[in-house]
Amino acid sequence: MRARTPRASSRDAILRVFAEHVADRGYADTSLADVAAELDLSKGTIVHHFGSKETLLRELHVAYFTRRFAEADYVLAQLGDPVSRLVAMIYALLAAHRDDRAASLACLRELVRYFDGDLTGYVREQRARYMAIVSGILRDGADQGVFVPADPVMTALQIFGMCNYAWTWYRPDGPQPVEEIARVFVRNILGGLTPRPGAGAVTDELIARAIEVVQRAPGRVPST
């Protein structure tokens, strides 16, 4: 059990602690009373700010997607070629498991809930928008001849499954830093996408540059 730490009485603080509880226990076993107790607030204060636990879950997801799209928009603005963009997006997805861990775990572990309830339409819309970014990068790469022609949506789904499932096994204090995991994933994915040996080779410098761009993206939670 986490030791209680003093936190500001603000919407951001409530969202942060709520995310930590959902990440640890799941949505069903998270109570507003426990969130309030950790913040030294009354349950009524949380209800005043958000109204209900369902509203907190929605706002948690909205804030999470806002951060992910800020990263993605920055990547697209800073990097011009499909290979660098794809490397950066893979790293961004993985780095969120470390740098935005509570919100990432809270959103990903409760993903099934989003398909049966008030969040259904919103979450599907945001997932489709993010899918369009990654599949668009893959399509551009195929058009430019740096990726083999393939189904960009299916390949994007493969990348999301690979990166998003990491919440079940990745630990920030584990033996491999997220940057090294990203390098392995990138080389494995691009090794299957490049049309011939040596074509579109991914150098350490290219990967480092993509990682640096994501780390400078606005709205990111800094790594600790």
Side-chain angles (χ1 to χ4, degrees):
M1 183 175 178
R2 290 185 304 271
R4 180 182 299 182
T5 56
R7 299 173 187 265
S9 172
S10 69
R11 291 174 60 89
D12 287 346
I14 293 169
L15 275 172
R16 183 171 61 251
V17 173
F18 176 75
E20 291 168 359
H21 280 244
V22 175
D24 287 347
R25 312 172 184 181
Y27 176 78
D29 292 328
T30 293
S31 74
L32 296 187
D34 288 343
V35 174
E38 184 163 335
L39 288 163
D40 291 324
L41 301 173
S42 69
K43 180 179 174 181
T45 299
I46 297 180
V47 173
H48 170 74
H49 280 298
F50 294 97
S52 67
K53 191 167 82 166
E54 290 78 10
T55 302
L56 260 170
L57 181 65
R58 178 181 177 84
E59 295 214 16
L60 170 63
H61 209 94
V62 169
Y64 182 75
F65 263 127
T66 297
R67 294 192 291 275
R68 301 288 78 76
F69 284 121
E71 288 174 348
D73 290 343
Y74 189 77
V75 164
L76 296 179
Q78 294 295 313
L79 299 172
D81 67 284
V83 174
S84 294
R85 286 178 168 183
L86 187 62
V87 171
M89 293 303 292
I90 289 172
Y91 172 67
L93 286 166
L94 289 169
H97 292 290
R98 178 192 63 196
D99 302 336
D100 204 0
R101 185 162 181 77
S104 293
L105 265 64
C107 290
L108 292 170
R109 76 177 292 168
E110 297 297 326
L111 192 61
V112 174
R113 181 180 303 279
Y114 301 142
F115 294 102
D116 183 24
D118 293 340
L119 281 170
T120 300
Y122 173 79
V123 172
R124 285 183 173 169
E125 177 183 330
Q126 301 310 305
R127 289 180 76 229
R129 180 183 164 198
Y130 205 88
M131 167 70 76
I133 292 172
V134 177
S135 62
I137 292 170
L138 292 162
R139 189 174 293 108
D140 289 344
D143 290 344
Q144 295 176 29
V146 295
F147 299 153
V148 295
D151 184 333
V153 172
M154 187 59 63
T155 304
L157 287 171
Q158 178 187 5
I159 291 169
F160 290 138
M162 176 181 72
C163 296
N164 289 342
Y165 191 73
W167 78 268
T168 65
W169 55 264
Y170 170 72
R171 298 294 180 268
D173 58 353
Q176 286 183 299
V178 74
E179 286 77 16
E180 181 58 33
I181 295 170
R183 289 185 179 95
V184 172
F185 280 20
V186 160
R187 293 188 185 282
N188 288 346
I189 284 290
L190 291 178
L193 288 172
T194 49
R196 61 188 182 278
V202 184
T203 65
D204 289 338
E205 290 79 11
L206 185 149
I207 294 174
R209 163 67 174 155
I211 287 174
E212 288 172 3
V213 166
V214 174
Q215 290 174 342
R216 293 199 305 269
R220 289 193 78 246
V221 178
S223 60
T224 55

